[in-house]
Amino acid sequence: MARLRTCSLTWAALIILLLPGSLEECGHISVSAPIVHLGDPITASCIIKQNCSHLDLEPQILWRLGAELQPGDRQQRLSDGSQQSTITLPHLNHTRAFLSCCLNWGNSLQILDQVELRAGYPPAVPRNLSCLMNLTTSSLICQWEPGPETHLPTSFTLKSFKSRGNCQTQGDSIMDCVPEDGQSHCSIPRRHLLLYQNMGIWVQAENALGTSMSPQLCLEPMDVVKLEPPMLRTMDPSPEAAPPQAGCLQLCWEPWQPALHINQKCELRHKPQSGEASWALVGPLPLEALRYELCGLLPATAYTLQIRCIRWPLPGHWSNWSPSLELRTTERAPAVRLNTWWRQRQLDPRTVQLFWKPVPLEEDSGQIQGYVVSWRPSGQAGAILPLCNTTELSCTFPLPSEAQEVALVAYNSAGTSCPTPVVFSESRGPALTRLHAMARDPHSLWVGWEPPSPWPRGYVIEWGLSPPSTSNSNKTWRMEQNGSATGFLLQENIRPFQLYEITVTPLYQDAMGPSQHVYAYSQEMAPRHAPELHLKHIGKTWAQLEWVPEPPELGKSPLTHYTIFWTNAQNQSFSTILNASSRGFVLHGLEPASLYHIHLMAASQAGTTNGTVLTLMTLIPEGSELHILLGLFGLLLLLSCLCGTAWLCCSPSRKNPLWPSVPDPAHSSLGSWVPTIMEEEAFQLPGLGMPPITKLTVLEEDEKKPLPWESHNSSETCGLPTLVQTYVLQGDLRAASAQPQSQSGTSNQVLYGQLLGSPTSPGPEHYLRCDSTQPLLAGITPSPKSYENLWFQASPLGTLVTPAPSQEDDCVFGPLLDFPLLQGIRVHGVEGLESF
């Protein structure tokens, strides 16, 4: 297939395209199915008619799906001369797309024909079909859930029929109800209904790929009737009607007019407007009463109310909740008991400070707007004199001299509480004993006591910060009604680390006992500081410490233990724990003449505190002990030196680097050293029975270049021969003869003698003992002096003759046999050895 060229048209041009007049009737597309399941294959063909004479004989047909070019299957000429091209789309994954048949026309791609392809799913079965009879519109309203999206145009139809039985037999059909597009509910008008006759109802869904129907619903229209809710309103005030009781609401409602002939029941719900309270349901309410008094509510509280109704006792549906109605309950007189306590001022005994606390007697005790303290004179009947009117919980007033009792009441707009008498009795009852207090946590105090005998009817407990201020406004008090109680937990107005004064007073019938006081901290603190350390005695390896415990303080927790820490000069720390009763401690295991830093930590349940740091130094050892230590150190050093010397002397590998191992020529065993050499090189010297132990190589003398030592004119000068062979004592003899001699002073080869001779010289061979820096016999001097090398000659009688010394001081010539090591020398190139 020829190469496809990119289309120059935009996507919008795919929908509406103006074709040239000559191409309008040239092409036509045929598809296997314009609507398929999403993902199914689809086949299409495009035919170009023969009458398109302006086209090429073999025009190339191109396919395009949407904006993308698609390869066609094949293109062929039909019998009538037209061209046909086919295409197969294996998976149509577009819910909606346009398939186009195109030709290359000039420099652009022209569309001959196009078709719309749709893909989707068949409709699902509608679910949750339900119907309600609305009396307001006089129609049966049914609704359903259409199911998942089909991607295809889908129509829903509500179908129904009349039936006299249980919908098993179908009667007259009812006109279909078709909802608006996108809606899933439909209404059947009243004229097509029989309100008290069964009818079958179902929903049918249909699109190009299939049809589905919901389960059938059989019902009687009046059994699914839904009423409209009544309208709540407040009752009009009437002089004949009694006012509502405290905590009650009076309300009424107006029923829905179209449902007056239907028996129904209603229910009411309410909740307070403030807070997050939930709805409380009240019902059933009789509809014919049309009014109701709702009680059990909180006084002086605003409420929200709603009502709804249902057909009853026949089947039906609850109506919606009515619009809200807001009402407020009335006040009620305070229903409280007032616990009282009084105190006389010290500076003015006739001035009384009266305290009280309201205790609710019911859950809804009513709001309190104020308190009144009054006194009724005995001589004036019905006269009440107010002494104090306040909204606080205390009052200070001058007590009349003849007054022994006053009355206290709480009031609001609905009335007053029952009067509480306050009798100013004297303190003539027995006192309680063993009053004590302790902190439970930072915000509570426990106060305990032993009740007196006889038991009182109650106790008054007061507490406040100490020392007390001139005004007792910071005092908090409460009354314990149980006379047999032995303690109470104070949790009100308690702050941490504060000192409180607690007062407990027993109350008897018409009397009270004397007050008892106790002081306590709400939370005890750690010790202010730890005791100061003192050094009592010290030694070379120990130190004795002591300290004086701090006296107990009010509000400070008692000590539980001590901890001693000490650190040496190397910053190593040590510690030990002691009981709280300890007064001293001895540190052992210290180092002599060492510096230490010591501190003491005091601990309690409230925390820990560190003391000051004590620095000390242990004693220096005495002179005798120092001498013993130095002697032991010297002995150890001497022993180490001896061991090192013995190790060096006994180890050959350690001895040679210090001095070379040179054999003694006088006691040498070189005579037994027979090197392995070739047979033709071995010979015996006449008159000598020793085997040769080395060899001497004779070099030819260069006559043209005299040696430096031959440059002297005097015949008496010692001329050195050209044959120079170094005698090698250490190493392999054969290897030594093959390697050049090293002239380094640190070499293992030792130069201690040279043989001098020349094959052209008629005189005897000479030897030369030179100044070597290597020791021969470990003598005093490393090499003999020049006068120690003598020239020995053999006389006919076998005696040695010493010739006169030469002019050269560096060497002395003599017979070879006089040198012990040269007795077995093998000589090459020298024939005259008669002097041997």
Side-chain angles (χ1 to χ4, degrees):
M1 193 174 186
R3 182 174 61 89
L4 301 180
R5 291 190 299 172
T6 305
C7 178
S8 61
L9 297 179
T10 60
W11 171 252
L14 298 177
I15 309 301
I16 302 175
L17 183 65
L18 297 177
L19 298 176
S22 57
L23 297 180
E24 290 181 357
E25 303 296 332
C26 283
H28 176 71
I29 296 178
S30 300
V31 295
S32 57
I35 300 177
V36 296
H37 283 76
L38 190 63
D40 284 359
I42 189 171
T43 303
S45 64
C46 179
I47 298 177
I48 299 179
K49 300 178 181 180
Q50 186 181 6
N51 57 2
C52 295
S53 58
H54 55 278
L55 298 177
D56 298 336
L57 296 178
E58 295 291 337
Q60 183 181 2
I61 302 175
L62 304 178
W63 293 93
R64 183 165 56 186
L65 181 64
E68 298 178 358
L69 291 174
Q70 302 289 333
D73 294 341
R74 61 174 180 168
Q75 182 174 336
Q76 62 180 352
R77 179 180 291 276
L78 300 180
S79 58
D80 57 355
S82 58
Q83 294 286 335
Q84 182 186 36
S85 176
T86 59
I87 187 175
T88 300
L89 302 176
H91 303 286
L92 184 59
N93 295 324
H94 302 277
T95 59
R96 183 178 182 181
F98 288 91
L99 181 63
S100 305
C101 173
C102 306
L103 280 178
N104 282 325
W105 183 266
N107 295 328
S108 63
L109 196 66
Q110 299 294 337
I111 299 176
L112 301 180
D113 193 11
Q114 67 178 4
V115 293
E116 182 182 9
L117 302 180
R118 300 292 298 267
Y121 302 101
V125 176
R127 299 168 302 178
N128 297 334
L129 175 62
S130 61
C131 298
L132 294 176
M133 183 63 193
N134 191 334
L135 296 182
T136 303
T137 59
S138 298
S139 61
L140 183 66
I141 303 174
C142 297
Q143 60 183 5
W144 60 89
E145 295 180 7
E149 177 64 36
T150 62
H151 304 291
L152 295 175
T154 304
S155 62
F156 294 88
T157 304
L158 181 65
K159 295 181 174 295
S160 59
F161 63 87
K162 301 176 182 178
S163 176
R164 294 188 178 274
N166 53 0
C167 301
Q168 296 296 327
T169 58
Q170 183 174 353
D172 298 337
S173 297
I174 301 177
M175 185 177 60
D176 295 342
C177 180
V178 179
E180 299 180 2
D181 293 341
Q183 301 292 334
S184 58
H185 58 83
C186 194
S187 301
I188 302 177
R190 169 69 179 85
R191 61 181 180 271
H192 300 302
L193 299 176
L194 293 178
L195 297 181
Y196 297 97
Q197 182 179 353
N198 285 338
M199 57 183 301
I201 304 173
W202 73 95
V203 178
Q204 177 178 305
E206 183 178 3
N207 64 14
L209 297 180
T211 303
S212 62
M213 291 184 296
S214 68
Q216 183 174 291
L217 186 64
C218 186
L219 53 86
E220 182 177 322
M222 285 303 295
D223 290 345
V224 293
V225 66
K226 182 178 181 180
L227 305 177
E228 291 295 328
M231 184 64 65
L232 280 176
R233 58 184 181 86
T234 306
M235 290 183 60
D236 297 331
S238 174
E240 295 83 9
Q245 299 180 2
C248 293
L249 289 175
Q250 293 180 348
L251 64 153
C252 62
W253 58 87
E254 182 180 350
W256 185 47
Q257 294 296 328
L260 289 177
H261 63 283
I262 299 177
N263 294 329
Q264 50 187 298
K265 66 178 180 180
C266 303
E267 61 185 14
L268 185 72
R269 68 177 184 180
H270 62 85
K271 69 173 182 179
Q273 291 183 2
S274 60
E276 300 294 333
S278 58
W279 290 97
L281 196 63
V282 179
L285 304 177
L287 182 63
E288 59 275 4
L290 299 181
R291 63 179 57 199
Y292 187 73
E293 185 177 16
L294 181 63
C295 294
L297 305 179
L298 298 176
T301 304
Y303 281 87
T304 300
L305 300 97
Q306 291 179 334
I307 191 174
R308 68 177 182 176
C309 298
I310 189 176
R311 183 188 182 209
W312 186 83
L314 298 177
H317 289 277
W318 281 103
S319 66
N320 297 327
W321 288 103
S322 67
S324 299
L325 176 65
E326 297 181 359
L327 295 177
R328 185 179 182 86
T329 56
T330 58
E331 292 278 4
R332 63 174 301 180
V336 294
R337 183 185 73 243
L338 297 175
N339 293 332
T340 60
W341 171 244
W342 61 274
R343 183 187 300 111
Q344 290 179 334
R345 282 194 172 181
Q346 298 179 358
L347 300 179
D348 186 4
R350 297 306 302 173
T351 301
V352 176
Q353 290 179 305
L354 182 62
F355 308 93
W356 58 87
K357 282 187 178 181
V359 179
L361 299 178
E362 301 177 6
E363 184 179 359
D364 301 329
S365 59
Q367 294 183 351
I368 298 177
Q369 296 179 354
Y371 302 91
V372 173
V373 179
S374 59
W375 170 58
R376 184 190 300 271
S378 58
Q380 302 177 8
I384 299 178
L385 300 178
L387 299 177
C388 183
N389 188 350
T390 181
T391 58
E392 305 294 332
L393 296 178
S394 63
C395 183
T396 302
F397 55 91
L399 184 66
S401 57
E402 65 274 13
Q404 299 295 326
E405 178 181 341
V406 295
L408 175 67
V409 296
Y411 66 90
N412 59 16
S413 60
T416 62
S417 64
C418 296
T420 300
V422 181
V423 179
F424 301 101
S425 58
E426 298 180 359
S427 301
R428 60 178 182 269
L432 49 83
T433 57
R434 295 186 180 182
L435 180 65
H436 60 278
M438 62 179 297
R440 284 290 182 89
D441 54 61
H443 298 280
S444 66
L445 283 170
W446 169 261
V447 56
W449 60 81
E450 286 188 4
S453 180
W455 283 354
R457 62 177 180 87
Y459 302 91
V460 173
I461 307 169
E462 295 179 278
W463 65 95
L465 294 175
S466 181
S469 60
T470 55
S471 64
N472 290 303
S473 58
N474 59 343
K475 287 280 188 178
T476 305
W477 68 278
R478 68 164 295 131
M479 182 174 291
E480 176 59 46
Q481 300 290 342
N482 185 7
S484 61
T486 59
F488 188 78
L489 183 63
L490 308 178
Q491 295 177 301
E492 185 179 359
N493 295 333
I494 301 295
R495 292 180 295 171
F497 306 111
Q498 299 294 330
L499 179 62
Y500 286 88
E501 179 187 11
I502 305 172
T503 304
V504 181
T505 305
L507 300 178
Y508 300 94
Q509 191 72 27
D510 299 332
M512 65 180 182
S515 301
Q516 302 293 327
H517 305 273
V518 68
Y519 295 88
Y521 273 88
S522 55
Q523 184 178 9
E524 295 178 330
M525 294 182 289
R528 189 183 304 271
H529 48 78
E532 184 178 359
L533 281 175
H534 299 281
L535 179 62
K536 187 175 184 180
H537 299 289
I538 191 170
K540 293 180 289 297
T541 60
W542 59 273
Q544 184 178 4
L545 307 174
E546 65 178 3
W547 60 87
V548 178
E550 297 291 333
E553 298 182 55
L554 190 64
K556 302 296 186 297
S557 178
L559 298 181
T560 57
H561 64 274
Y562 292 106
T563 304
I564 293 183
F565 299 89
W566 66 96
T567 306
N568 58 15
Q570 289 76 28
N571 203 21
Q572 295 177 338
S573 298
F574 309 91
S575 64
T576 184
I577 299 177
L578 305 176
N579 293 329
S581 59
S582 301
R583 300 295 182 268
F585 185 70
V586 179
L587 302 179
H588 293 283
L590 306 181
E591 297 180 1
S594 298
L595 190 68
Y596 287 89
H597 302 282
I598 308 170
H599 75 272
L600 182 68
M601 183 180 72
S604 66
Q605 292 182 352
T608 59
T609 304
N610 290 326
T612 57
V613 177
L614 174 66
T615 302
L616 57 85
M617 177 176 284
T618 53
L619 298 180
I620 302 175
E622 298 177 358
S624 59
E625 296 178 355
L626 182 60
H627 294 161
I628 293 175
L629 292 177
L630 292 177
L632 292 177
F633 178 74
L635 183 60
L636 180 61
L637 182 61
L638 180 60
L639 183 60
S640 300
C641 293
L642 292 177
C643 292
T645 304
W647 177 68
L648 290 174
C649 293
C650 296
S651 177
S653 61
R654 303 294 178 182
K655 181 173 63 176
N656 289 336
L658 299 178
W659 58 82
S661 179
V662 180
D664 187 359
H667 300 84
S668 176
S669 59
L670 291 178
S672 62
W673 294 354
V674 182
T676 304
I677 57 179
M678 297 179 63
E679 184 178 358
E680 61 272 17
E681 294 180 359
F683 64 93
Q684 293 289 337
L685 295 176
L688 297 177
M690 290 183 180
I693 60 176
T694 183
K695 69 178 180 178
L696 186 67
T697 304
V698 179
L699 303 176
E700 294 295 334
E701 182 180 5
D702 191 356
E703 298 179 355
K704 296 181 180 180
K705 297 180 180 179
L707 298 174
W709 52 76
E710 295 177 348
S711 61
H712 300 281
N713 297 327
S714 177
S715 60
E716 299 297 329
T717 303
C718 181
L720 296 177
T722 60
L723 178 61
V724 178
Q725 172 67 38
T726 301
Y727 190 81
V728 181
L729 290 178
Q730 297 179 1
D732 191 0
L733 293 177
R734 291 168 293 182
S737 63
Q739 297 177 356
Q741 295 299 324
S742 174
Q743 301 302 325
S744 174
T746 60
S747 173
N748 291 332
Q749 298 178 354
V750 181
L751 176 63
Y752 71 97
Q754 290 180 338
L755 293 182
L756 307 178
S758 174
T760 60
S761 176
E765 296 288 333
H766 303 279
Y767 67 90
L768 174 64
R769 186 171 185 178
C770 298
D771 292 332
S772 173
T773 60
Q774 302 292 339
L776 287 175
L777 302 177
I780 298 177
T781 58
S783 181
K785 302 299 181 179
S786 59
Y787 57 83
E788 296 178 10
N789 289 330
L790 302 180
W791 178 258
F792 298 96
Q793 295 182 356
S795 64
L797 297 177
T799 62
L800 300 177
V801 179
T802 304
S806 64
Q807 297 177 359
E808 298 290 332
D809 292 336
D810 292 341
C811 57
V812 177
F813 296 92
L816 296 177
L817 295 178
D818 291 332
F819 197 71
L821 287 178
L822 303 179
Q823 295 179 5
I825 293 178
R826 298 168 58 186
V827 181
H828 294 271
V830 179
E831 305 300 337
L833 295 175
E834 292 84 358
S835 61
F836 272 81

